[in-house]
């Protein structure tokens, strides 16, 4: 048996827009993802989150299902638009009530809630003011966060500010594949700064009005980046890609500065006039934990082709097996990342806030889903986690992405990440083989060796 530490937390993760549905109910306002889904060609088959997994109505049975799978903690996000459908008006009680009901239900079932404030579904009204490129949004965010700290702080102890700010700013404002869909790298730089500033302000507010025994952190998507070969050029490309994706967010939040080499490189795009004196101090707030979303690695060489060509970086495939997303599978990347946190960023406790895989699941004649490929993916990443813990990494828990199949952003419903299968016609939930396996892992607090 590969045994995990006694207090290790076993969870699953979801997000509001991907599962809730009920987008027009109980006063919810429009989010940027509602709007983005309507733009032609942006989301596969023009799909959207209007119904999704109908979790808004089915949350009680979903929580019971989690209970039946031994899940100890549930990472979900709040739809900002349910709480502040109009940013200048008072909060919407009915929206808050939904999350109160959800949290009560979790607690009755002895599942500890982990609440993320921003999992991408910004109110459209704020987007109309410029979204994350407008500094004022950092105040709106702090107001929204403070309201929830006060209203839910007695029952929710684990809080996350943003989920993957890099995706919000880069994919939303530069590559354009996520809402709101802009394509200007300068906007990414500005938006990323405001996201981090909003994070810092919210953490500060948490210390002032949040629960005393509460914990708060941020979730970053880290792609460990390796040079394609041992030439200086490839190593330099790896440094740039790591700076762009990882250090640009890790350094301000955990060290209080932007990486020097990236500031130098980005001079060609901006004069950073949006960074005000004292901002970095505001961003750099002591956090209780760091959330890591880990799926895959990046391998790079110098070059001008492809998505990162404008930075002189060319991402290459290495021939490793891939998931249904086309993401290369490399559990060692998770191990390396966990140890890197310890080495470069101190001994901050880490939760793996997302890890999992999409596969082209088949429903068998008997109704079961034998997702052995997903199970192996999870097992191998858990083993890498355990090895990292043994080698000194401070990992406190693991949240499998995802509890159930859901709306996978621009891919619509075509990519299934769930350990529970969802039939979108009937909303029937069927745990897959991985779910039963994970249940046993939780019961054993470890992995049985063959
Ligand atoms: C992450 C997102 C999550 C989900 C997974 C597959 O980037 O945080 O919502 O889409 O990828």
């Amino acid at each position: 048996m590969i045994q995990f530490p006694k207090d290790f937390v076993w969870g699953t993760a979801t997000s509001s827009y991907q599962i809730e549905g009920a987008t027009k109910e109980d006063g919810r306002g429009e989010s940027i993802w509602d709007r983005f889904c309507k733009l032609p060609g942006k989301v596969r088959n023009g799909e959207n989150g209007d119904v999704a997994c109908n979790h808004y109505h089915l949350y009680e049975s979903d929580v019971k299902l989690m209970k039946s799978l031994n899940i100890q903690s549930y990472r979900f996000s709040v739809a900002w638009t349910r709480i502040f459908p109009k940013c200048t008006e008072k909060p919407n009680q009915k929206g808050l009530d939904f999350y109160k009901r959800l949290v009560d239900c979790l607690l009755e079932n002895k599942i500890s809630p982990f609440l993320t404030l921003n999992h991408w579904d910004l109110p459209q009204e704020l987007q109309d003011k410029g979204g994350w490129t407008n500094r004022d949004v950092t105040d709106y965010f702090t107001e929204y966060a403070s309201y929830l700290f006060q209203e839910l702080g007695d029952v929710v102890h684990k809080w996350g500010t943003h989920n993957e700010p890099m995706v919000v700013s880069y994919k939303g404002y530069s590559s354009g594949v996520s809402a709101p869909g802009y394509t200007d790298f300068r906007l990414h730089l500005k938006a990323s700064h405001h996201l981090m500033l909003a994070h810092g302000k919210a953490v500060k507010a948490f210390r002032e009005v949040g629960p005393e025994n509460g914990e708060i952190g941020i979730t970053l998507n880290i792609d460990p980046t390796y040079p394609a070969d041992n030439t200086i050029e490839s190593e330099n490309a790896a440094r740039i890609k790591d700076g762009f994706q990882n250090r640009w967010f890790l350094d301000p939040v955990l060290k209080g500065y932007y990486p020097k080499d990236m500031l130098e490189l980005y001079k060609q795009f901006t004069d950073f006039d949006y960074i005000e004196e004292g901002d970095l101090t505001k961003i750099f707030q002591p956090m209780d934990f760091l959330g890591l979303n880990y799926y895959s690695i990046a391998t790079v060489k110098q070059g001008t082709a492809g998505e990162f060509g404008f930075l002189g970086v060319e991402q290459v495939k290495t021939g490793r097996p891939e998931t249904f997303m086309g993401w290369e599978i490399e559990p060692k990347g998770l191990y390396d990342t966990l140890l890197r946190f310890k080495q470069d960023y101190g001994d901050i406790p880490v939760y793996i806030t997302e890890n999992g895989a999409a596969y082209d699941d088949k429903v068998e004649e008997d109704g079961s889903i034998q997702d052995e490929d997903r199970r192996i993916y999870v097992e191998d990443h858990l083993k890498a986690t355990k090895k990292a813990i043994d080698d000194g990494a401070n990992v406190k828990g693991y949240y499998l992405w995802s509890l159930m199949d859901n709306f996978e952003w621009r891919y619509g419903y075509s990519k299934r990440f769930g350990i529970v299968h969802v039939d979108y016609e009937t909303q029937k939930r069927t745990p897959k083989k991985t779910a039963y396996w994970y249940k046993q892992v939780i019961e054993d607090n470890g992995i049985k060796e063959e």
Side-chain angles (χ1 to χ4, degrees):
M1 180 77 78
I2 301 176
Q3 208 66 56
F4 278 69
K6 221 173 51 268
D7 54 355
F8 195 79
V9 177
W10 299 99
T12 52
T14 63
S15 87
S16 44
Y17 191 73
Q18 293 179 277
I19 64 163
E20 285 180 0
T23 51
K24 295 183 184 64
E25 287 179 51
D26 292 338
R28 177 186 177 280
E30 189 190 11
S31 83
I32 56 172
W33 270 92
D34 297 306
R35 183 70 66 92
F36 189 68
C37 290
K38 289 189 189 137
L39 301 176
K42 292 295 184 189
V43 175
R44 180 186 168 269
N45 292 340
E47 289 164 351
N48 60 51
D50 281 358
V51 179
C53 307
N54 196 19
H55 173 76
Y56 192 76
H57 295 292
L58 300 177
Y59 74 92
E60 279 180 288
S61 48
D62 287 339
V63 171
K64 288 208 180 84
L65 179 61
M66 269 192 273
K67 178 76 197 160
S68 77
L69 295 173
N70 290 340
I71 304 303
Q72 299 169 344
S73 182
Y74 175 49
R75 175 176 177 260
F76 64 98
S77 75
V78 169
W80 188 343
T81 51
R82 289 197 195 281
I83 309 299
F84 283 98
K86 285 264 164 282
C87 60
T88 48
E89 290 175 14
K90 64 177 184 15
N92 171 34
Q93 187 63 40
K94 282 189 172 166
L96 176 69
D97 287 346
F98 168 67
Y99 295 104
K100 283 199 162 161
R101 291 197 296 277
L102 170 64
V103 169
D104 284 348
C105 186
L106 288 166
L107 294 175
E108 275 160 29
N109 287 282
K110 303 210 161 39
I111 299 171
S112 75
F114 180 152
L115 188 161
T116 299
L117 292 160
N118 170 26
H119 200 122
W120 307 358
D121 42 358
L122 183 80
Q124 180 61 42
E125 195 193 1
L126 294 180
Q127 191 59 55
D128 295 341
K129 298 177 192 293
W132 289 109
T133 63
N134 180 347
R135 195 177 168 96
D136 293 348
V137 172
T138 65
D139 289 327
Y140 286 113
F141 182 72
T142 313
E143 193 191 335
Y144 154 64
S146 303
Y147 176 71
L148 288 185
F149 297 154
Q150 282 164 320
E151 290 295 328
L152 295 174
D154 55 337
V155 279
V156 177
H157 296 146
K158 214 169 270 154
W159 295 76
T161 54
H162 303 302
N163 176 72
E164 304 188 350
M166 182 268 173
V167 172
V168 176
S169 57
Y170 175 69
K171 294 196 175 167
Y173 293 82
S174 180
S175 78
V177 296
S178 281
Y182 296 127
T183 50
D184 183 342
F185 191 71
R186 289 168 304 180
L187 295 182
H188 152 64
L189 293 176
K190 200 171 182 188
S192 66
H193 182 69
H194 292 147
L195 279 154
M196 285 186 273
L197 185 60
H199 157 81
K201 286 183 176 184
V203 172
K204 185 160 178 280
F206 188 77
R207 304 300 176 209
E208 284 155 15
V209 301
E212 260 172 45
N213 55 350
E215 298 172 30
I216 192 160
I218 190 170
T219 281
L220 301 179
N221 52 311
I222 303 298
D223 285 355
T225 304
Y226 304 93
D229 50 54
N230 55 18
T231 60
I232 290 180
E233 288 77 16
S234 294
E235 276 170 17
N236 193 39
R239 174 185 59 75
I240 292 173
K241 177 73 189 345
D242 177 58
F244 156 80
Q245 161 123 17
N246 306 327
R247 286 180 290 123
W248 190 251
F249 296 87
L250 284 163
D251 286 4
V253 160
L254 290 163
K255 292 181 169 170
Y257 54 76
Y258 277 113
K260 269 209 190 81
D261 57 335
M262 299 313 288
L263 285 174
E264 193 56 38
L265 181 71
Y266 290 164
K267 264 192 197 153
Q268 58 185 306
F269 303 108
T270 177
D271 58 7
F272 301 105
D273 60 345
Y274 54 83
I275 302 182
E276 293 182 10
E277 211 182 315
D279 277 3
L280 268 306
T281 315
K282 289 182 187 148
I283 291 171
F284 178 42
Q285 296 290 323
M287 288 195 296
D288 300 300
F289 65 85
L290 175 64
L292 165 66
N293 287 0
Y294 177 81
Y295 291 95
S296 189
I297 55 165
T299 309
V300 298
K301 62 179 188 182
Q302 192 179 68
T304 50
E307 185 175 357
F308 307 111
F310 72 104
L311 294 173
V313 173
E314 195 174 320
Q315 195 156 334
V316 296
K317 295 265 190 188
T318 65
R320 287 175 171 83
E322 295 175 5
T323 67
F324 197 46
M325 297 296 282
W327 297 346
E328 291 191 321
I329 303 170
E330 184 48 275
K332 187 176 173 293
L334 175 56
Y335 172 89
D336 289 349
T337 303
L338 293 169
L339 285 189
R340 183 218 189 153
F341 286 164
K342 187 170 171 85
Q343 193 188 314
D344 295 352
Y345 295 97
D347 205 22
I348 186 160
V350 176
Y351 287 100
I352 297 168
T353 39
E354 287 181 25
N355 175 243
Y359 281 103
D360 192 14
D361 298 328
K362 299 268 174 304
V363 181
E364 305 291 332
E365 287 205 346
D366 64 0
S368 70
I369 296 103
Q370 302 296 325
D371 58 337
E372 183 61 7
D373 31 21
R374 180 178 292 105
R375 193 197 67 72
I376 292 171
Y377 178 100
V378 175
E379 172 165 357
D380 288 348
H381 286 78
L382 282 174
K383 284 181 175 163
T385 304
K386 177 58 173 40
K387 189 164 181 285
I389 294 172
D390 290 345
D391 292 346
N394 193 0
V395 191
K396 298 294 186 195
Y398 177 89
Y399 291 80
L400 214 165
W401 185 272
S402 176
L403 168 64
M404 56 188 159
D405 296 335
N406 57 50
F407 176 75
E408 180 48 36
W409 309 112
R410 73 186 139 122
Y411 301 99
Y413 294 94
S414 66
K415 306 288 185 194
R416 293 177 177 271
F417 273 91
I419 56 168
V420 172
H421 177 270
V422 175
D423 178 331
Y424 294 111
E425 296 288 310
T426 61
Q427 291 294 349
K428 183 168 182 262
R429 277 60 162 151
T430 309
K432 304 175 191 176
K433 183 179 181 184
T434 302
Y436 295 115
W437 175 83
Y438 193 49
K439 175 181 180 174
Q440 189 64 46
V441 168
I442 300 173
E443 191 171 316
D444 297 338
N445 196 37
I447 304 168
K448 283 200 181 83
E449 281 176 292
E450 294 296 300

